[in-house]
Amino acid sequence: MLRNTTFNLPDDLVARAKAYAASHGTTLTAIVRDHLETVTAGRKVEATEDPLLAFSQGRMTKEQAMKALGLRDYAGLLVRLGEADLPLPCLPAHEIENQATTFARIWRRS
C-alpha cells in the first residue's frame, strides 16, 4: 500500500530537489523513498565486518560500502566485487520499480 504524505519544506529546497531529480532522471518521491529506505535499513553493520560481503548480501548500501572501502565511485565497488567473486545484491523493490518507470519513459520517447 502506498500512502500520500505531506511535508512542509522551504520552496527553494523543493525547487532545487525537483531540478536535481529531473537532471538525474528520477522523481522527488523516489529520492525521498530511497533516503528513507537507507536510513531505516535493517541492522547496523559491525565495524569489523567485511564491507564487500555486507554490500553483496544487501546489508550495506553502496554508499556505505564505498565509504568504508575508501572508493570514490560505484565502478570501483563493482570491480572490487568482481575481484572478490561476490555477486551484486538484489535491488530493493522500490529501486526496481523506479528503474522500470524510467526505462518505460525513455522507451516511449524513442
Side-chain angles (χ1 to χ4, degrees):
M1 177 175 120
L2 297 176
R3 172 176 288 178
N4 287 329
T5 303
T6 301
F7 293 100
N8 294 314
L9 302 169
D11 289 339
D12 64 319
L13 175 60
V14 173
R16 289 193 323 266
K18 284 183 177 181
Y20 175 89
S23 70
H24 286 81
T26 189
T27 65
L28 195 52
T29 297
I31 292 171
V32 171
R33 183 185 310 120
D34 288 347
H35 180 70
L36 292 175
E37 286 285 341
T38 299
V39 299
T40 62
R43 70 175 187 83
K44 297 280 185 195
V45 176
E46 298 296 323
T48 58
E49 189 170 11
D50 177 16
L52 277 178
L53 183 60
F55 173 67
S56 178
Q57 294 175 344
R59 294 179 285 111
M60 180 181 274
T61 66
K62 67 181 178 187
E63 292 79 14
Q64 291 169 326
M66 289 185 304
K67 183 177 179 182
L69 294 165
L71 301 172
R72 65 180 190 164
D73 58 31
Y74 188 51
L77 181 58
L78 294 177
V79 168
R80 294 281 299 270
L81 278 175
E83 291 172 345
D85 199 27
L86 290 170
L88 287 171
C90 290
L91 292 174
H94 73 278
E95 287 188 34
I96 294 171
E97 180 182 323
N98 187 41
Q99 289 179 1
T101 301
T102 300
F103 175 78
R105 187 174 60 245
I106 292 169
W107 184 263
R108 283 191 294 266
R109 288 183 191 164
S110 58

